[in-house]
Amino acid sequence: MSVSQATARLIAPPRLSRRLRAILASAGAVLLSLVVGGLLIVIAGGDPLSAYRSLLDGALGTPYGIGQVLVLAIPLVIIGLGLALAFRGRVYNIGAEGQLFMGALASGVVAILLPVGFGPLLIGLAILAGVVAGAGWGAIVGLLRAHWGVNEVITSLLLNFVAILIFTYVVRRPLRAPGSPDLQGRAIQPEAALPALPDLAVHIGLFLALALVPLAAYVMARTPFGFRVRMLGFNAEAARTAGVRSGRMVVGLMLISGGLAGLAGALQILGVAERLDPGISQGYGFTAIVVALLGRLNAVGVLLAALFIALLQSGGQAMSVIEGVPYAIVLAIPGVFVVFLLIADRLARSY
Amino acid sequence: GDDDDGGGGGGGQAGGGQDKVKTAIVLPCATSDPWCKQGYDAAKALQKQGAIDLKVTTNAPQDTAGVTRVLAQYAQSGTQLILAHSTWQDAAFAVAKQFPDVDIASYAFELRDNVAILEEPIYQAAYLAGMLAGGLTESNTIGGSAGQDVPLCHAELEAFEDGAKRTNKQVKMIDAYIGDWNDSAKGKQATQAQIDQGADVVIACGGGPATGMAQAIKEANISGFGYVGDMSSQAPKNMVGSVLYNLGPYFKAAVTDVKDDTFRPAKRYEFGLADGGVSLQLNDGYSVKEIPANVMDQMEKVQDQIKSGEFKVPYEAGA
Amino acid sequence: MELSVSMKAIVKRFGRVQALAGVDFDLRPGEIHALLGENGAGKTTLMNTLYGMLPPDEGTIAIGGREMQFRSPQDAIAEGVGMVHQHFMLVPTLTVAENAVLGERGGPLLRKRDLAAVSERLAELAARYGLDLDPGARVWQLSVGEQQRVEVLRALYKGARILILDEPTATLTPLETERLFPKLRTLAAEGASIVFITHHLEDVISWADRITVLRRGERVGTLRPSESSAGELARMMVGRDVRLMQVVAGERSVSGTKEAPREAPVLSIEGINADGDRGTPALRDVSFSVAPGEILAIAGVEGNGQPELEEVLFGLRAPESGRVSLDGSDVTGTDPADRLRLGLGLVPSNRYRRGVIRELTVAENLVLDRVGEPPFGSELRMNRREMAKQAEELIRRFSIQVSGPDQLAGTLSGGNAQRLVLARVLSRELRCLVAAQPTRGLDVGAIEFVWEQLAAARDRGLAIVLLSTDLDEVLSMADRCCVIYRGRLVAHWTREELDRERVGLAMGGAKEPAVAAPAVASREI
Amino acid sequence: MDWSEIFGPDALVVLLSTSVAFAMPTALAAVGETVAERAGVLNLGLEGMLLSGALASFLVAYYVGSVALGTLAGVAIGIALGALMAFLSVTLKTEQIINGIAIVLVAQGITAFTFEKLFGGGEQPTVAGIPDVNVPLLHSIPGVGPVLFEQNVLFYVSVAIALGVCLLLTRTRFGLSVSAVGESPAAAEAMAVSVARTRWLALLVGGAMAGLGGAVLVLGQLNVFEEDVSGGRGWIAIALVIFGRWNPLFVLGGAFLFGFTDALQIRVQAVSGGIASTVPTEIFGALPYAVTLVVMVAATVWAGRDAQPAALGVPFRKGVGA
Ligand SMILES: Nc1ncnc2c1ncn2[C@@H]1O[C@H](COP(=O)(O)OP(=O)(O)OP(=O)(O)O)[C@@H](O)[C@H]1O
Ligand SMILES: Nc1ncnc2c1ncn2[C@@H]1O[C@H](COP(=O)(O)OP(=O)(O)OP(=O)(O)O)[C@@H](O)[C@H]1O
Ligand SMILES: [Mg+2]
Ligand SMILES: [Mg+2]
């Protein structure tokens, strides 16, 4: 049994009736997790119905609220796409968080220090720096696995800690924001800030994220590269025998997923924090793993999953504010949801 | 931990209840954490006095975008004043720009028209603690551990050392930065390492380091100082006292400014030792050893000098 | 006399596939009973129901006259049923003794001392039935023949009175096969009942007391060897006449060797040394070369370096030293992608591990190594239409039994999967083909097809290296033949010198000074 | 700087004894994870199990006042989460990586919620610590004595259990089944070893160990609970299993090595005093991760990958052959 049947099932193209069952399963899972979430709300002393109303209201009730959902969804989509591709090839990159921080760092350094007065050029360079840094950080993992077979789950995981420490050092020492009492880096040059859409208050990285979805879908489904990735994921030995250079593919997948995580980091710096700030992410790189898997390693699926998780978190925050229930409930609901989705999904497949 | 007072966000009567400022406090941790408890208690006190309508968010997200959403949600639902009780400048600015009607106070380092700065001059109290430490130490070695080497902590540890040197020229101080604000186990380990190096009076900066420190001094039966809140319950016999950060004056000033329409242009709120914003609270149960009377006198004298403005504790923020 | 096993009207379905459609089967004490049938006929499934691995959907099983409802192998083992599986069911990282203890009920502790007692008991059994083995050896260190002995020994250790062997001889040398059956006979003489599944009709004729033939999940009949012949059995299995191996071989020898032009070698290797998976030497100083229009067979028994040789030839394993050349240029350090481009093809020995990707469709599998190449598109886009066209064509040409090009390759039977691999490999422009165990596990009909394809390719001028453990295959196909033993090429014959006895002995390690010629290279061209 | 203050005999004893104690939660979780992975299940939910174990043990110790019951509660909640992981991964056969991450998410949310619900607004609650016990005679052995035999009771219990689990893997029928199921489940099933049952049990053991680790962290070391008190120890534990090449004793050793480098970097900071201002503290912080990484890469390069259970991460489906 060289190939995980579970992954195989995730990657295999679903048939129509199955799709219907999958939708029903997802609906069932949503319902169940809402029930459990409601139970928690009751324990906390709230009213579940009005809480859920305020969840939707807070997330989607105003353009600004919608914008906030999108701001959160952008990095999740971008990282999720890269991870989906890598996971298809059974390259388990758990290091997106670190790659995000390395991308953010490089892009921030460029956006702070590079004396380029022309905004679009500066932005372009900063983004490029982010992508390259994220990709480079990912490539370490890829090279170690390709050359010596070092388990990528662990190297990528450990490198997260190291990346965050490097980032911390830079914002604490050389590029500290003058006057800040805490860990905060300097603000980027105003020219480097990404323009935002009016009302929604979403930076234009949104369009980049949206453009990446069809691109990723195309790469996965229509190009020989995407096909080779699937070959590698299903049966690495057979892929190698059929002329797929697995070492290069592993490094390539780490470059791509790392580069996309780096891109997400760059956008967080240029579009959200507008400074080097550890607050650009709270585990987005991990949440994106859930996004990639919930989205069934499929580009459109990743988009939907990212929007859903973002809606849940953003709306959850609104709910906790409006209803006065502890925010910690909101932390628990995505996990509960994922558990139920797994169960429902599995049951839908067997009946 | 929910504390919407009565009607909450929905029941905003136009004009009538103007005297109560609609206030929200957003806390980065649970209210049992000393840092968050200090903020929470101060806000609750104002609520009890009838000065404000209060809403509370605990365990707020740590990412800027996440905090922004929470603050925005309050701004949107008619809150007048948001007490953003962490270093949330960027989120505060973003929300302040989007919702120009709301007033925000946070640990910022730049001002905006509707974003005020909260200062935390805890180093002043740490200086006094240091003076006692200088008198208490027998090994002439004291220790300080902090989450990160940031100005807030750096200044606190430096002041502690300066204070100790004032009462005891031979004192040597050991610092450790554990690289994590929340990991109490590491905090405990850091303090233990200092104890092994001979430290017998210690202080900490940050929730994790402070909690860990409290456990370490209890086990080793040495002396220490609590951080931000009154931590004497965590090591009743070993806490000489705690350097307290009292948010009462801060919040009161901000609320009054909002009520009187004087909040803008927003200002820097700083209440030091003289104004009751920080203080050294001694612990009656402390029993590791007798605090030498002359050291106590000296400390109280300096405390008066600070209050009267005669002496200014040097602020050393580090590199 | 009480039957030791009586299975009645056994039905087993896998989803829509009906693997067994009401099969009766019985087994007498002291008999050796052969079970015959094409690939996919249901032989393994039938025995798995007897062993408690699969519950039958319908039908009854009685052991010694008592009806049984096995819910797991545990139940079957308790009733004295033992099974030696087609794919060995041994844990490679454990020792022989540990494998024997596995699944045994008993106290929670398993101390060194307990294992020692087990080893002792195993050694006793081994001595009694002539199955010499070291109970302390780890299974991955053992040759395939030894592993099989472990399986048999384990079944005996667990007290088996009814022993099922699923294709026990598929991977054994003729010598090992010849040693196995007398041991089974001894067991049977002591009252045990033995079922063995095989595709080798001669084994059946020479060793079975009774023969049951299955076809498509149904029993065609049960007969005695004396009432039957190889041709008759083959017809029963397939449902039509089959040209037997000798026929194919004969034809080939007419069109093949005699006039085959002797050109410069396409593929040659010199002084190859390579390590196996566990770092032990697997190939030692191996040299040979093969010219266009000839089949060089490398015969050998499993565990003697054939898989490693296959991998070295195709760039899947880096040799420690030595040189591989293709058309005169050194390709030693290149990977399979490069070698494919240079016109080298591989029919891998493990078709599911290396040959097909089960989760992809038949059409996709047919162009695995050519996606992105014209006419199947470019690096920017795959041309699905061309792929489908190619699939239709190959499915027709190679008679692959599928419902359509979009069927998943994982659902193909073994014979069809092998046709798929051949179709893909042979549809490329090739200079040289490495065919490793191309007919392993296939039924006679499928074997016939594969041999024809290989012979045709050779006649088109391909240089072919045939790695095989199957003596019949080697004798039928080879223009020249070497034997690999313990990682060395130990003999070399031309077609005219080939002789069943000689090759068989050499595969088993017997010295044959008259013919063995170490200077292989000098004899070529 | 005076290196004898770190590596001198006395200093070293202190250093070792603290690092052994502080490494214990990670070590327990890692040994438990070894069992699960040896059985073929990659349990990424460890961090959540540690955290839940920490909270449960704290609550029981706080309200009931018994460290022993608290410890049992930590173990119990670990087992419960292990059962959830087993239900998802073994019974339903859903993707193991996602199961684990989901468990971490649930645990983080629920523990934070529960703790805030119970203690929000009050003083930070603490529980009584456990005193150190000097094992008679043994603790006076020079060197080893003070390191291993002047610790609290929970420490001794932990050591016993960790070693017990090592023996469980190497000296019992269950351990043999675990290895078989992780290496070739089809063969195990053919020999009447139930793959599902064995993996379930292995995950229960893994969960119990992680829960115990959480209890040791809170009851044996901190005496307080905080949000995210596990602080990434679960993730490190997973890394340590691979680092230790699925050999429970190596894993245990790896955990202590990690703990040692961590203690060492803090110690170097403490001893050097001033060094902290010239050398970035982050370099010290990165030390344990860097050491783990380097040793792991070296071990893989040197010894290859074969130690990994062949079926790790692969759900077993009866009747679907290799
Ligand atoms: N686990 C399974 N799931 C689905 N189908 C199966 C399964 N096992 C066997 N089959 C199908 O049942 C039929 C009988 O298979 P079986 O393995 O018993 O054949 P066999 O006679 O042993 O063939 P071979 O000679 O190739 O070993 C085949 O069509 C096969 O594809
Ligand atoms: N297309 C197929 N190819 C091979 N085997 C199949 C196929 N369809 C079904 N099977 C086999 O048929 C049996 C029943 O299938 P199903 O998917 O319902 O079971 P399962 O998921 O293994 O069930 P459980 O979760 O209870 O173990 C399984 O043993 C499965 O291996
Ligand atoms: Mg079969
Ligand atoms: Mg079979």
Side-chain angles (χ1 to χ4, degrees):
Chain A
M1 256 195 261
S2 57
V3 173
S4 152
Q5 267 92 15
T7 316
R9 269 183 287 119
L10 280 173
I11 310 174
R15 300 211 189 86
L16 209 66
S17 67
R18 282 207 185 163
R19 192 166 284 175
L20 189 71
R21 282 190 295 178
I23 290 173
L24 286 177
S26 309
V30 171
L31 230 94
L32 271 172
S33 33
L34 289 183
V35 168
V36 171
L39 227 68
L40 290 178
I41 292 170
V42 170
I43 294 172
D47 167 9
L49 284 183
S50 84
Y52 284 134
R53 204 170 323 114
S54 45
L55 185 149
L56 281 180
D57 238 32
L60 305 174
T62 62
Y64 186 77
I66 296 173
Q68 290 300 303
V69 173
L70 295 177
V71 167
L72 178 54
I74 291 169
L76 297 182
V77 170
I78 294 176
I79 305 171
L81 289 175
L83 294 184
L85 188 66
F87 290 0
R88 278 177 171 233
R90 295 189 71 76
V91 172
Y92 284 114
N93 177 8
I94 312 290
E97 184 78 355
Q99 291 141 20
L100 177 148
F101 270 100
M102 290 314 270
L105 179 60
S107 137
V109 168
V110 168
I112 292 168
L113 297 178
L114 206 67
V116 174
F118 181 54
L121 178 62
L122 183 56
I123 290 176
L125 289 174
I127 288 182
L128 187 68
V131 172
V132 169
W137 198 247
I140 300 175
V141 175
L143 289 170
L144 285 174
R145 173 162 148 194
H147 282 286
W148 291 308
V150 183
N151 189 308
E152 80 276 14
V153 173
I154 294 314
T155 46
S156 58
L157 184 72
L158 289 175
L159 284 174
N160 281 335
F161 295 97
V162 179
I164 290 170
L165 283 164
I166 294 175
F167 187 94
T168 308
Y169 170 69
V170 174
V171 301
R172 193 174 62 75
R173 279 285 180 78
L175 290 179
R176 201 179 88 208
S180 166
D182 197 356
L183 286 178
Q184 269 154 326
R186 277 165 57 181
I188 59 176
Q189 306 172 59
E191 297 80 31
L194 291 177
L197 302 177
D199 295 336
L200 288 173
V202 182
H203 60 87
I204 57 167
L206 176 67
F207 299 115
L208 201 52
L210 289 178
L212 281 172
V213 174
L215 181 65
Y218 180 84
V219 169
M220 288 175 190
R222 294 265 176 259
T223 64
F225 174 73
F227 186 72
R228 290 190 195 107
V229 171
R230 292 207 301 154
M231 286 169 69
L232 196 65
F234 287 136
N235 184 340
E237 276 289 314
R240 208 150 85 86
T241 309
V244 175
R245 296 191 157 104
S246 54
R248 283 190 207 179
M249 291 290 288
V250 167
V251 175
L253 288 173
M254 284 306 306
L255 280 170
I256 293 173
S257 56
L260 285 174
L263 171 63
L267 295 181
Q268 289 300 103
I269 294 286
L270 305 177
V272 179
E274 301 188 4
R275 75 164 70 249
L276 271 182
D277 181 358
I280 52 168
S281 166
Q282 187 182 17
Y284 292 175
F286 291 100
T287 312
I289 296 173
V290 176
V291 165
L293 292 167
L294 276 185
R296 300 178 177 282
L297 309 186
N298 167 312
V300 176
V302 165
L303 176 67
L304 295 178
L307 286 172
F308 180 75
I309 297 250
L311 176 100
L312 214 59
Q313 290 205 352
S314 182
Q317 277 149 4
M319 173 182 94
S320 86
V321 164
I322 298 170
E323 302 291 316
V325 293
Y327 174 69
I329 291 184
V330 183
L331 288 178
I333 290 181
V336 172
F337 171 73
V338 174
V339 170
F340 282 124
L341 186 68
L342 291 171
I343 296 175
D345 195 50
R346 175 64 200 164
L347 294 180
R349 272 159 204 281
S350 17
Y351 299 112
Chain B
D2 56 311
D3 271 282
D4 52 327
D5 215 25
Q13 330 83 315
Q18 276 302 343
D19 51 338
K20 278 195 186 180
V21 176
K22 287 198 170 60
T23 306
I25 184 164
V26 181
L27 303 166
C29 35
T31 46
S32 50
D33 178 280
W35 170 261
C36 288
K37 185 169 169 9
Q38 291 303 101
Y40 180 73
D41 285 351
K44 279 308 254 192
L46 283 176
Q47 184 194 27
K48 276 220 185 78
Q49 292 160 22
I52 58 171
D53 267 347
L54 183 63
K55 288 201 162 210
V56 183
T57 287
T58 55
N59 299 98
Q62 303 293 317
D63 53 326
T64 306
V67 185
T68 306
R69 283 191 296 275
V70 174
L71 301 185
Q73 196 57 47
Y74 278 119
Q76 219 167 0
S77 51
T79 307
Q80 294 167 277
L81 173 64
I82 304 175
L83 304 168
H85 188 53
S86 188
T87 48
W88 284 331
Q89 168 169 301
D90 292 329
F93 285 2
V95 172
K97 191 166 139 205
Q98 194 72 29
F99 302 94
D101 291 342
V102 77
D103 292 324
I104 304 176
S106 188
Y107 296 83
F109 49 99
E110 289 159 20
L111 287 164
R112 285 286 186 277
D113 193 46
N114 52 342
V115 180
I117 295 179
L118 300 171
E119 285 288 351
E120 189 197 358
I122 199 159
Y123 67 97
Q124 298 176 2
Y127 187 87
L128 301 180
M131 290 184 69
L132 295 188
L136 283 169
T137 179
E138 283 167 8
S139 61
N140 291 334
T141 308
I142 58 176
S145 50
Q148 299 280 4
D149 187 2
V150 297
L152 174 70
C153 291
H154 202 96
E156 180 198 316
L157 299 195
E158 291 288 351
F160 187 68
E161 182 174 359
D162 291 347
K165 290 231 162 89
R166 183 154 178 168
T167 50
N168 180 347
K169 292 273 169 316
Q170 273 126 55
V171 153
K172 191 182 110 203
M173 168 120 169
I174 306 170
D175 298 335
Y177 295 97
I178 66 167
D180 193 314
W181 290 116
N182 302 312
D183 195 332
S184 329
K186 264 199 178 161
K188 182 175 177 189
Q189 216 173 345
T191 301
Q192 274 188 355
Q194 293 169 346
I195 295 170
D196 294 338
Q197 284 311 116
D200 57 358
V201 191
V202 294
I203 194 166
C205 178
T211 309
M213 178 270 292
Q215 300 310 319
I217 59 172
K218 197 161 66 175
E219 268 172 33
N221 196 27
I222 63 149
S223 311
F225 289 89
Y227 165 77
V228 167
D230 183 355
M231 289 179 61
S232 47
S233 70
Q234 288 192 40
K237 294 197 174 113
N238 303 85
M239 282 294 178
V240 188
S242 300
V243 289
L244 286 194
Y245 177 38
N246 311 312
L247 283 137
Y250 289 85
F251 290 176
K252 189 163 172 222
V255 167
T256 314
D257 278 338
V258 171
K259 205 187 244 167
D260 301 346
D261 233 356
T262 53
F263 191 86
R264 303 179 192 201
K267 49 186 92 54
R268 180 184 293 267
Y269 294 109
E270 175 156 11
F271 299 97
L273 213 60
D275 315 297
V278 298
S279 58
L280 175 63
Q281 166 152 342
L282 293 178
N283 169 27
D284 293 337
Y286 173 68
S287 60
V288 173
K289 56 182 290 210
E290 193 81 29
I291 303 175
N294 65 324
V295 173
M296 195 61 138
D297 289 347
Q298 233 177 315
M299 187 277 282
E300 277 165 359
K301 205 171 291 160
V302 172
Q303 183 169 339
D304 291 339
Q305 285 171 355
I306 297 174
K307 282 184 178 166
S308 67
E310 219 172 302
F311 174 69
K312 228 170 115 47
V313 179
Y315 176 73
E316 293 157 272
Chain C
M1 187 170 56
E2 187 92 81
L3 287 174
S4 31
V5 172
S6 164
M7 302 174 78
K8 291 242 180 323
I10 302 291
V11 175
K12 179 71 196 175
R13 288 177 217 96
F14 295 107
R16 255 163 282 161
V17 182
Q18 184 155 38
L20 298 173
V23 176
D24 293 343
F25 178 81
D26 57 46
L27 189 59
R28 298 172 186 157
E31 82 166 332
I32 297 183
H33 194 134
L35 194 54
L36 274 182
E38 273 187 293
N39 294 126
K43 307 178 293 290
T44 300
T45 305
L46 182 67
M47 288 302 110
N48 276 339
T49 58
L50 175 57
Y51 185 57
M53 289 274 278
L54 294 171
D57 296 328
E58 290 167 34
T60 58
I61 301 173
I63 306 270
R66 284 183 303 126
E67 201 169 302
M68 297 289 160
Q69 298 254 308
F70 293 152
R71 271 159 311 161
S72 75
Q74 177 72 26
D75 298 350
I77 292 169
E79 292 300 326
V81 182
M83 182 158 175
V84 175
H85 294 265
Q86 186 171 354
H87 310 283
F88 293 150
M89 293 294 183
L90 295 170
V91 182
T93 48
L94 300 183
T95 64
V96 173
E98 285 168 339
N99 267 288
V101 175
L102 194 60
E104 193 179 72
R105 297 294 180 263
L109 286 186
L110 193 63
R111 289 155 300 189
K112 287 252 159 74
R113 161 153 42 104
D114 303 320
L115 278 173
V118 173
S119 295
E120 207 167 297
R121 169 100 183 94
L122 284 172
E124 248 171 61
L125 282 170
R128 177 149 147 225
Y129 296 102
L131 302 160
D132 50 326
L133 266 179
D134 169 14
R138 300 213 170 258
V139 166
W140 62 262
Q141 298 170 317
L142 303 179
S143 75
V144 175
E146 288 172 312
Q147 292 189 22
Q148 187 173 56
R149 271 177 267 158
V150 176
E151 287 261 20
V152 174
L153 199 58
R154 174 168 71 180
L156 297 176
Y157 170 81
K158 298 205 181 237
R161 305 294 301 147
I162 298 160
L163 186 61
I164 306 162
L165 298 107
D166 195 350
E167 303 200 18
T169 59
T171 51
L172 296 188
T173 54
L175 207 68
E176 282 177 310
T177 305
E178 272 172 39
R179 284 200 198 126
L180 174 68
F181 282 107
K183 283 165 195 158
L184 296 181
R185 184 53 75 200
T186 320
L187 272 169
E190 291 185 6
S193 309
I194 290 162
V195 188
F196 76 98
I197 299 175
T198 187
H199 293 289
H200 290 277
L201 303 178
E202 308 88 77
D203 293 346
V204 175
I205 307 255
S206 10
W207 291 102
D209 296 318
R210 288 196 302 155
I211 306 164
T212 292
V213 180
L214 293 185
R215 187 164 76 226
R216 305 212 171 142
E218 295 186 42
R219 190 177 68 143
V220 185
T222 299
L223 48 147
R224 295 180 173 283
S226 54
E227 301 162 358
S228 175
S229 70
E232 162 89 23
L233 288 172
R235 197 174 322 109
M236 281 177 81
M237 284 164 57
V238 184
R240 64 178 166 88
D241 280 326
V242 181
R243 293 184 301 161
L244 287 175
M245 309 152 180
Q246 290 76 11
V247 184
V248 181
E251 262 175 23
R252 183 217 43 76
S253 67
V254 173
S255 68
T257 10
K258 291 191 178 136
E259 296 127 74
R262 284 297 169 125
E263 295 170 24
V266 181
L267 174 71
S268 61
I269 65 173
E270 280 161 52
I272 290 289
N273 284 288
D275 287 349
D277 286 339
R278 309 271 175 177
T280 50
L283 295 176
R284 304 162 201 236
D285 195 22
V286 175
S287 305
F288 64 74
S289 61
V290 54
E294 71 164 347
I295 295 179
L296 169 65
I298 312 272
V301 181
E302 220 160 294
N304 283 287
Q306 276 183 348
E308 289 82 2
L309 182 57
E310 168 192 353
E311 289 166 3
V312 167
L313 288 176
F314 202 61
L316 291 159
R317 176 183 299 273
E320 306 304 307
S321 64
R323 187 181 134 98
V324 181
S325 333
L326 203 55
D327 274 327
S329 56
D330 187 346
V331 296
T332 315
T334 59
D335 63 14
D338 296 322
R339 295 189 199 194
L340 276 166
R341 201 158 302 132
L342 290 169
L344 186 64
L346 172 71
V347 176
S349 55
N350 186 332
R351 63 186 80 105
Y352 289 111
R353 177 158 165 233
R354 289 228 171 92
V356 300
I357 296 184
R358 293 160 183 257
E359 298 83 354
L360 295 177
T361 65
V362 169
E364 288 169 330
N365 267 286
L366 282 168
V367 294
L368 275 190
D369 50 359
R370 295 173 75 185
V371 286
E373 284 173 21
F376 306 114
S378 65
E379 275 307 315
L380 287 181
R381 184 177 176 84
M382 288 192 292
N383 188 336
R384 294 261 174 196
R385 193 166 318 134
E386 279 300 324
M387 285 166 62
K389 225 159 81 190
Q390 169 87 349
E392 305 268 350
E393 151 88 16
L394 291 178
I395 287 171
R396 193 177 43 72
R397 195 138 64 83
F398 286 81
S399 318
I400 307 172
Q401 314 270 308
V402 288
S403 56
D406 290 337
Q407 188 179 338
L408 291 185
T411 60
L412 293 179
S413 78
N416 279 311
Q418 191 68 354
R419 282 169 197 257
L420 188 161
V421 174
L422 275 176
R424 180 179 70 229
V425 174
L426 292 176
S427 66
R428 282 184 77 96
E429 263 196 35
L430 287 186
R431 300 272 300 131
C432 178
L433 176 67
V434 176
Q437 322 300 346
T439 59
R440 175 182 287 169
L442 297 192
D443 61 57
V444 281
I447 291 172
E448 176 191 0
F449 175 82
V450 172
W451 285 359
E452 278 170 7
Q453 292 297 324
L454 290 179
R458 186 261 324 274
D459 293 344
R460 285 200 308 274
L462 255 66
I464 297 178
V465 179
L466 172 67
L467 300 171
S468 181
T469 54
D470 182 340
L471 193 50
D472 289 323
E473 182 163 69
V474 169
L475 293 173
S476 310
M477 302 299 297
D479 294 312
R480 289 189 292 129
C481 172
C482 296
V483 167
I484 188 166
Y485 181 74
R486 301 223 163 133
R488 288 180 199 281
L489 290 193
V490 293
H492 180 261
W493 301 283
T494 61
R495 162 130 214 107
E496 293 71 30
E497 299 161 340
L498 280 184
D499 169 285
R500 174 171 292 271
E501 194 112 335
R502 273 180 177 172
V503 182
L505 282 172
M507 285 165 79
K511 292 268 182 302
E512 212 212 4
V515 198
V520 174
S522 64
R523 290 180 130 237
E524 292 160 359
I525 308 177
Chain D
M1 163 173 145
D2 181 2
W3 288 101
S4 73
E5 285 187 59
I6 299 171
F7 293 114
D10 294 343
L12 204 58
V13 164
V14 177
L15 185 59
L16 283 172
S17 79
T18 54
S19 53
V20 165
F22 279 102
M24 191 51 83
T26 317
L28 289 169
V31 170
E33 176 74 6
T34 308
V35 178
E37 289 194 19
R38 283 275 286 253
V41 186
L42 180 62
N43 172 18
L44 290 192
L46 221 52
E47 178 78 359
M49 297 177 181
L50 261 170
L51 189 57
S52 309
L55 179 63
S57 62
F58 179 80
L59 291 181
V60 170
Y62 181 81
Y63 287 114
V64 180
S66 155
V67 171
L69 287 180
T71 307
L72 285 181
V75 171
I77 198 81
I79 290 177
L81 287 180
L84 176 60
M85 181 71 193
F87 176 66
L88 293 173
S89 308
V90 180
T91 305
L92 296 185
K93 304 182 182 70
T94 53
E95 183 73 29
Q96 292 171 10
I97 293 182
I98 194 169
N99 302 340
I101 291 177
I103 285 176
V104 175
L105 289 179
V106 173
Q108 285 177 339
I110 304 246
T111 50
F113 170 66
T114 311
F115 189 66
E116 177 67 8
K117 179 82 195 146
L118 293 174
F119 298 105
E123 292 277 322
Q124 171 132 0
T126 61
V127 294
I130 321 169
D132 284 356
V133 178
N134 292 357
V135 179
L137 298 179
L138 290 178
H139 83 108
S140 48
I141 303 173
V144 196
V147 176
L148 293 179
F149 301 107
E150 294 180 5
Q151 306 269 7
N152 64 45
V153 176
L154 209 43
F155 176 87
Y156 302 121
V157 171
S158 300
V159 171
I161 290 180
L163 292 176
V165 169
C166 294
L167 289 179
L168 180 73
L169 278 177
T170 52
R171 291 281 181 278
T172 65
R173 281 181 206 279
F174 174 71
L176 189 64
S177 300
V178 165
S179 303
V181 156
E183 199 59 45
S184 46
E189 192 80 25
M191 281 303 111
V193 174
S194 163
V195 174
R197 199 181 102 100
T198 309
R199 289 189 172 170
W200 258 88
L201 286 173
L203 279 168
L204 296 185
V205 171
M209 294 294 283
L212 177 64
V216 169
L217 178 65
V218 159
L219 302 182
Q221 291 176 16
L222 294 177
N223 307 329
V224 292
F225 180 85
E226 290 167 335
E227 203 192 331
D228 264 336
V229 72
S230 47
R233 285 173 179 75
W235 299 110
I236 296 299
I238 293 167
L240 288 171
V241 176
I242 299 175
F243 174 94
R245 308 185 71 65
W246 293 273
N247 177 329
L249 285 174
F250 290 175
V251 170
L252 209 54
F256 292 127
L257 174 68
F258 184 86
F260 179 75
T261 33
D262 208 10
L264 183 67
Q265 59 104 352
I266 288 172
R267 163 78 34 150
V268 171
Q269 282 198 51
V271 170
S272 60
I275 214 171
S277 53
T278 49
V279 180
T281 55
E282 286 80 8
I283 290 190
F284 295 111
L287 196 66
Y289 306 109
V291 168
T292 309
L293 207 61
V294 168
V295 175
M296 192 187 75
V297 170
T300 313
V301 171
W302 176 63
R305 287 187 93 172
D306 5 292
Q308 175 165 344
L312 182 61
V314 185
F316 176 67
R317 308 175 71 73
K318 252 189 207 179
V320 178

